Amino acid sequence: MEHASPSTPRCCAKDEEEEEDDDDDDDPPDTSSDDDCLGDVFGDLAALPVEVSERRPTCLRCRRPEKVCLCPFLPAQPLDVSTCLYIVQHPAEESRVLRTVPLLAACLPPGKCNVIIGRRFNEAKNPELAKVCRDSRTLILYPGPNSQNLEELVQLPEEGDKTHNIILIDGTWSQAKNIFLKNSMLQLPQQVQLNRSLSSQYVIRTQPTNICLSTLECAAVALSILECNDIFQEVLLRPLKALCTFQLEHGAQVHHSKEHLLKNGMYDKTMPKNKRKIKRLEKLVTDRNCLLK
C-alpha cells in the first residue's frame, strides 16, 4: 500500500493560503457548472444496475460447494476421539479456497476441533485458549530445539491414560512462526513434533520442504499417535486425497516443495536480495531436517 508523504498536504495548504492573501480583492471563480457536470456523471453511474453474484450452494458438513462435495470421502460417523484439537488459525487462512481445516472438523465430533482465528492472543480476549495453554495435559505441535518426539512422549509412564489437548497453528510457515513467537501463552504447553518420515499428499499447495505437512496431515498423524489407532490417519487423509485428485483432474498442477525445486534447478523465481532469506533457501537444500531441529 502506498502512503502519501506527511509533508505533502501541509505544503499544498500553505500555498493555497498564500494565494488567498494575494487575491483578497478578487471574486472566487464560478465552479457551479463543473459541479453540475460531475453530479450528472455520478448520477448516471449510480443508476447503473448492480450485478449481484450468486454464491454457489455450500455443503454444510464439508464446507465445499455442493457440486464438488467431499462428504462421500468423510467417515459416515465422526471419529470417536478423546483428544481435543485447538487450531490457532491465521486470519489469511480463512479466505483460502482450498482449506484443510473444515475437512478435519467434519471428521470429528462437535467440540473436538476448535478453531481460534487471530494473530495476537491474551488472557482477557481469549480466556478459553489461555486456560487450555495452562492445562498440564496440553501439547503444542511446533518443531524446535525444545520439542519432544510425540511418539516417545506418549510412552512415558507418567502420561499413562492421560487425555490430551493439542494445539496446532494453521498458516504458512512464516505466519505460524510469528504467531508462536509473539504469543507467550502458546509457549506454556509442552512442545512436541512428529519425527515420522512422511511426504505431504497436499500436492496442490507449495510446501517449504518435502517433509512439511498440511494442518490436516499433522492432525491426522498426531491423533493416530495419541489415540493409538493408525486407522485414524488413513480415514482423515481420505478427503484430502480426494480434494487433490479432483483439482488435478480439473487443471491444477502438482506443486513441488521449494526444497525439491532448488535441488533440481527448477526454482524459477527471482532469488531474494536479503541475505537472511538466501541463507534460508540454501538451508532447504543442504539440510532437509532443518525444521525439526
Side-chain angles (χ1 to χ4, degrees):
M1 181 180 294
E2 294 182 359
H3 296 275
S5 169
S7 62
T8 303
R10 287 199 294 270
C11 290
C12 292
K14 183 179 179 182
D15 292 341
E16 287 167 2
E17 288 171 2
E18 289 174 352
E19 288 177 5
E20 286 175 2
D21 290 340
D22 294 338
D23 300 329
D24 282 342
D25 297 333
D26 294 341
D27 293 330
D30 183 8
T31 59
S32 58
S33 60
D34 293 339
D35 292 341
D36 291 342
C37 188
L38 287 173
D40 292 340
V41 172
F42 286 113
D44 292 341
L45 288 174
L48 291 174
V50 178
E51 294 185 7
V52 180
S53 59
E54 294 184 4
R55 295 191 64 182
R56 291 183 292 175
T58 303
C59 173
L60 296 179
R61 187 181 181 195
C62 70
R63 303 296 179 182
R64 296 277 297 157
E66 288 181 356
K67 288 186 177 181
V68 288
C69 173
L70 293 175
C71 286
F73 302 95
L74 301 178
Q77 299 295 327
L79 298 176
D80 184 14
V81 297
S82 59
T83 307
C84 272
L85 296 180
Y86 289 86
I87 312 295
V88 175
Q89 187 177 78
H90 189 279
E93 287 296 312
E94 196 178 9
S95 61
R96 288 187 182 274
V97 177
L98 301 175
R99 296 176 294 158
T100 64
V101 170
L103 297 177
L104 173 62
C107 295
L108 301 176
K112 292 297 184 180
C113 184
N114 307 281
V115 181
I116 304 108
I117 300 170
R119 292 184 180 88
R120 301 289 179 270
F121 306 92
N122 57 56
E123 183 90 30
K125 190 172 65 173
N126 310 97
E128 180 186 1
L129 180 60
K131 182 179 178 181
V132 170
C133 289
R134 288 195 302 268
D135 192 326
S136 61
R137 299 170 301 166
T138 299
L139 308 170
I140 182 165
L141 189 60
Y142 189 83
N146 299 320
S147 292
Q148 189 168 354
N149 181 6
L150 181 59
E151 287 183 288
E152 294 177 358
L153 179 69
V154 297
Q155 293 172 6
L156 296 175
E158 59 267 27
E159 294 299 311
D161 296 326
K162 186 185 293 185
T163 300
H164 290 93
N165 307 309
I166 186 160
I167 299 172
L168 296 92
I169 304 176
D170 185 35
T172 65
W173 281 95
S174 60
Q175 290 168 349
K177 181 180 179 180
N178 282 332
I179 288 175
F180 179 76
L181 295 178
K182 294 182 179 180
N183 290 281
S184 57
M185 70 166 63
L186 295 179
Q187 298 169 36
L188 296 176
Q190 169 66 53
Q191 270 182 255
V192 293
Q193 62 188 29
L194 305 173
N195 283 5
R196 293 184 178 183
S197 297
L198 299 169
S199 293
S200 177
Q201 298 179 45
Y202 193 25
V203 295
I204 55 176
R205 187 169 175 181
T206 304
Q207 304 288 2
T209 74
N210 295 334
I211 57 172
C212 292
L213 304 177
S214 67
T215 303
L216 186 150
E217 290 171 311
C218 288
V221 176
L223 283 175
S224 69
I225 295 171
L226 292 170
E227 301 287 331
C228 302
N229 190 339
D230 286 338
I231 297 297
F232 285 177
Q233 181 176 334
E234 180 184 338
V235 172
L236 288 169
L237 292 183
R238 196 176 297 151
L240 178 65
K241 293 178 183 177
L243 171 64
C244 293
T245 299
F246 177 84
Q247 293 299 127
L248 292 173
E249 288 175 350
H250 290 79
Q253 300 294 318
V254 172
H255 287 227
H256 295 291
S257 70
K258 288 183 180 179
E259 174 194 5
H260 176 89
L261 297 175
L262 287 164
K263 280 184 176 180
N264 293 278
M266 300 164 59
Y267 192 76
D268 57 0
K269 294 185 178 179
T270 304
M271 292 295 287
K273 295 181 180 179
N274 185 299
K275 291 183 179 180
R276 291 176 61 186
K277 289 185 178 180
I278 292 175
K279 286 183 178 180
R280 283 203 295 269
L281 288 175
E282 290 174 346
K283 196 171 180 64
L284 293 178
V285 180
T286 57
D287 184 6
R288 76 186 309 269
N289 294 316
C290 63
L291 292 172
L292 296 179
K293 290 184 178 181

